[in-house]
Amino acid sequence: MAVSLPLFESIAPTGTREPLAPGAWLLRGFALDAAAGLLAEIERIASSSPFRNLVTPGGKTMSVAMTNCGAVGWFSDRRGYRYTEIDPETGRPWPAMPGSFMKHAHDAASAAGFENYAPDVCLINRYEPGTRLTLHRDHDERDRRAPIVSVSLGLPATFLFGGLARKDAPRRVPLVHGDVVVWGGPSRMRYHGVLPVKAGEHPLAGARRYNLTFRVAR
Ligand code: SIN
Ligand code: FE2
């Protein structure tokens, strides 16, 4: 696969692999062919475990709506951030991870140099225009050797990719429908976030951005 080193942060052509940091890659358009199928699965998953706006331990309601599929799901309330086997809102197990999700995450990790990736959870974020995700690290997973695989669908967004310390100035990475970002190895614990999503209309997703983040949590 071609490695591109753009001088400017322009959007590189589909199919390029752009290094973001050691162990972190942007795979432009990697999910384009799978996108319609992934969106249909999101709808199916949300019909059993609906999107909801979680409350942080500090009592703030998150603007981004979330659900999960997999053996566990990420959840937050006044008691803290954690992975649960049961969706606390439905009282049932989280929907199983579809085979297509698993295969896609595995292939993306492999394209970024991480072989044998077998995530046990996919956190699904839904962004409406104006919603954002503040800088954070994904630190609730027990297995930190495995990378995070992040798939962008629907409206575009600016991804903030920071350093290992909160104060490190983040790089602004424009992400569009079908882009995949993988961060692992020395970059696994980097801060990251998403700037407020701009209003727009996407032919497959409407006025929304969806993001899938695959993790090995247990
Ligand atoms: C996340 O950090 O969980 C999601 C990142 C994104 O939406 O691109
Ligand atoms: Fe995250």
Side-chain angles (χ1 to χ4, degrees), residues 35-59:
L38 297 174
L39 284 165
E41 290 288 9
I42 292 172
E43 225 170 277
R44 205 181 47 79
I45 291 161
S47 70
S48 32
S49 271
F51 282 101
R52 76 289 306 264
N53 294 89
L54 295 172
V55 173
T56 67

Side-chain angles (χ1 to χ4, degrees), residues 64 66 123 125 127 133-134 136 138 148 150-152 157 159 175 181 183 192-194 209-213 215:
V64 175
M66 297 179 182
L123 176 50
N125 291 331
Y127 299 77
L133 202 58
T134 53
H136 66 279
D138 297 345
I148 303 285
S150 163
V151 179
S152 290
F159 182 58
L175 294 181
V181 183
W183 62 97
H192 58 278
V194 178
R209 171 179 188 258
Y210 292 95
N211 174 265
L212 308 176
T213 49
R215 303 116 188 264

